[in-house]
Amino acid sequence: MSKRKCLDGKCFICGQVGKLTYEHIPPKVTFNNKPVKTNSGLDLLTKNDDNPLDTCGITYVNNQKGYGKCYLCQSCNNLSGTWYVPEYQKFILTIHFLVSKPDIVKVDQVHLSLNGLQTLPIIKQVMSMFCSVVGPINDENLRKFLVNQNEKGLDKSKYRVCIYYNRGSISRVIPITAKCSTTDGVVVLAELGFVPIGFLIYLDPKPNQSFKGTDITYFANADFNEKSNITFELNLYEYHLVIPKDFRTKQEIESQSQKLVSK
Ligand SMILES: [Zn+2]
């Protein structure tokens, strides 16, 4: 949908009904300013063949100026663009610069030290995109967190935000999904699997739950203009299916689907 075709609707962040505006998800300054083809997750999951990696014949939408949608009112769109996107852009571009080197991008984990980072606007941008992907939010505290520049702190019993490096060239964006795990039981999460940085947002995590990716929920604890020196381990993943936190290699998927077919 082009910018001109946004209709009236309910803003996914502030909840006001009115004219919606086009928003790039992720921001266009973070590698989202070129044409992309978008497949429907439902089409990919329900295609009728034995090879989950084969996307031939699946219909797609051409997004000429990058991916985006009409989810936010002008005010929410402007404030995230002005307050949050600049630091988020710096963060993404810096990590990509450090990690995308040929000898580094092949390893499974890298140790990163980033200085002078304003962490609050970064995580606010992540949660703003989360709202755009999952639909109108029903959490007053999260709404305040996003519309007030200086509001800080995310309730860790409600949200856990984890980051990873996406080694591939395909994004996957998955709204809230429940996934059964043998170790953690039912896990509820959404995934913003952008290129080159992806985020997993876990909802109502159990106290002893394990997480894929590196937990950066503490980014929300700083003041807006506070600059922090951050050190963390960043996992590098690849993915091929529209299943949240599924980071199996092609070989693993092929081998497991062959076993299922032969049963
Ligand atoms: Zn709004």
Side-chain angles (χ1 to χ4, degrees):
M1 184 180 279
S2 76
K3 290 181 183 183
R4 287 185 292 275
K5 287 184 181 165
C6 287
L7 304 172
D8 285 1
K10 187 175 182 179
C11 172
F12 279 15
I13 291 179
C14 72
Q16 302 265 356
V17 175
K19 178 80 175 164
L20 297 177
T21 57
Y22 187 88
E23 177 201 7
H24 277 85
I25 310 168
K28 60 183 171 187
V29 291
T30 56
F31 307 102
N32 187 22
N33 60 353
K34 298 205 167 83
V36 288
K37 291 176 180 173
T38 317
N39 295 118
S40 145
L42 189 62
D43 288 349
L44 290 165
L45 286 171
T46 55
K47 68 193 188 71
N48 189 22
D49 62 44
D50 295 331
N51 182 0
L53 296 169
D54 181 11
T55 57
C56 288
I58 301 283
T59 55
Y60 59 83
V61 174
N62 249 324
N63 303 270
Q64 286 301 325
K65 293 178 179 173
Y67 181 71
K69 288 273 181 181
C70 304
Y71 290 140
L72 304 183
C73 70
Q74 186 82 58
S75 169
C76 289
N77 206 345
N78 285 350
L79 67 83
S80 70
T82 307
W83 291 343
Y84 309 148
V85 168
E87 276 302 311
Y88 178 81
Q89 178 192 10
K90 249 189 263 175
F91 180 61
I92 300 298
L93 267 52
T94 302
I95 295 180
H96 184 56
F97 174 76
L98 294 171
V99 176
S100 62
K101 297 178 170 67
D103 54 331
I104 296 178
V105 78
K106 290 180 195 149
V107 304
D108 293 331
Q109 192 179 69
V110 291
H111 179 82
L112 290 179
S113 292
L114 306 175
N115 294 334
L117 214 58
Q118 280 177 249
T119 60
L120 186 59
I122 294 166
I123 199 160
K124 283 184 182 235
Q125 178 58 30
V126 176
M127 292 310 288
S128 170
M129 294 186 290
F130 163 76
C131 292
S132 294
V133 166
V134 303
I137 53 174
N138 192 23
D139 178 344
E140 196 50 37
N141 288 332
L142 180 57
R143 198 188 318 279
K144 280 189 204 157
F145 179 75
L146 293 175
V147 300
N148 299 321
Q149 186 183 43
N150 295 312
E151 192 84 16
K152 63 180 192 177
L154 270 179
D155 183 347
K156 284 180 84 171
S157 68
K158 275 190 173 176
Y159 304 103
R160 208 57 80 86
V161 181
C162 295
I163 185 173
Y164 64 86
Y165 188 87
N166 176 6
R167 264 199 287 244
S169 56
I170 296 172
S171 293
R172 71 177 173 199
V173 175
I174 303 175
I176 295 174
T177 307
K179 188 174 179 188
C180 251
S181 144
T182 49
T183 49
D184 295 315
V186 176
V187 173
V188 181
L189 76 161
E191 182 165 353
L192 309 175
F194 305 132
V195 177
I197 305 292
F199 299 93
L200 294 159
I201 294 112
Y202 296 85
L203 304 180
D204 302 319
K206 301 175 192 79
N208 56 352
Q209 186 175 311
S210 60
F211 300 104
K212 273 275 185 190
T214 305
D215 190 347
I216 58 162
T217 318
Y218 68 93
F219 276 25
N221 299 341
D223 290 326
F224 190 84
N225 290 313
E226 182 179 339
K227 294 192 173 178
S228 309
N229 297 336
I230 301 292
T231 302
F232 63 101
E233 311 300 322
L234 182 71
N235 293 300
L236 284 70
Y237 295 141
E238 64 179 84
Y239 57 68
H240 305 280
L241 302 178
V242 280
I243 299 172
K245 77 180 185 78
D246 181 319
F247 299 111
R248 288 175 295 167
T249 62
K250 278 188 178 178
Q251 290 75 15
E252 287 169 327
I253 294 167
E254 277 164 353
S255 141
Q256 286 164 9
S257 42
Q258 274 162 13
K259 278 183 199 159
L260 283 172
V261 169
S262 61
K263 276 185 182 171

